[in-house]
Amino acid sequence: MKEFIETGKIVNIHGLQGEVKIMPWSDSPDFLCEFDFFYCGKDKKSLEVESSRVHKNMVLVKFRGIDTPEKANALRNSIVYINRNDVELEDGTYFIQDLIGLSVKDADTGKEYGTVRDIFQTGANDVYEISDGEKKYLVPAIPDVIVRTDIEAGEIIIRPLEGLFDED
């Protein structure tokens, strides 16, 4: 598993004190306000958070040492990362990057349907795109379908809805 997780992108500056506006890539922008450090850019430069707040579904962050619009602007378009070790996820929640590539198997028959290729966040529930190399299937990530997710074993065990994997 990767140590750093992409969690947003600095899209603009805010005000004259060096704040930046981050577009969050998480379920809620409030999640990003929990961190004392972000890591920025390809070199994952550590930036200490002085303050953060949610504003119109974006996160406004003031980093220590970034105190002018010019310094803040130098961070524009940078990807923002968090350290995996700084996060404690609730049971049953996962980072998307940890689910991509997991094999998907039937809880009752053991049949392997393919691997998770992408995850769509629809608002109501996530939808997993599963591919067996030839076909793609969309599997709703709901309790009626997902029996168990085992990151360590590299698999998701499902009980598919009727007709989900039927051939046309």
Side-chain angles (χ1 to χ4, degrees), residues 86-100:
D86 293 341
V87 181
E88 192 169 313
L89 293 176
E90 295 178 24
D91 285 345
T93 59
Y94 307 94
F95 291 116
I96 288 175
Q97 74 181 33
D98 292 341
L99 298 175
I100 304 291

Side-chain angles (χ1 to χ4, degrees), residues 43-95:
D43 61 350
K44 315 282 191 303
K45 179 183 176 186
S46 175
L47 295 171
E48 185 177 356
V49 175
E50 271 186 24
S51 65
S52 62
R53 67 188 190 282
V54 175
H55 179 69
K56 298 182 181 178
N57 290 325
M58 301 293 255
V59 181
L60 301 180
V61 177
K62 170 71 176 79
F63 292 116
R64 186 168 312 286
I66 307 294
D67 47 18
T68 66
E70 293 78 18
K71 286 182 180 179
N73 197 48
L75 297 172
R76 189 191 306 239
N77 293 321
S78 296
I79 302 299
V80 176
Y81 301 83
I82 56 174
N83 188 315
R84 173 186 298 279
N85 298 322
D86 293 341
V87 181
E88 192 169 313
L89 293 176
E90 295 178 24
D91 285 345
T93 59
Y94 307 94
F95 291 116

Side-chain angles (χ1 to χ4, degrees), residues 6-29:
E6 289 184 8
T7 193
K9 181 178 182 178
I10 297 174
V11 294
N12 210 340
I13 64 171
H14 182 80
L16 301 174
Q17 304 302 313
E19 278 187 310
V20 296
K21 189 181 291 189
I22 298 176
M23 178 188 307
W25 296 340
S26 58
D27 291 342
S28 165

Side-chain angles (χ1 to χ4, degrees), residues 3 22 67 82 95 103 110 120 135-136 148 151:
E3 178 181 6
I22 298 176
D67 47 18
I82 56 174
F95 291 116
S103 65
F120 305 106
K135 289 191 158 203
K136 292 180 183 176
R148 181 171 43 90
I151 302 289

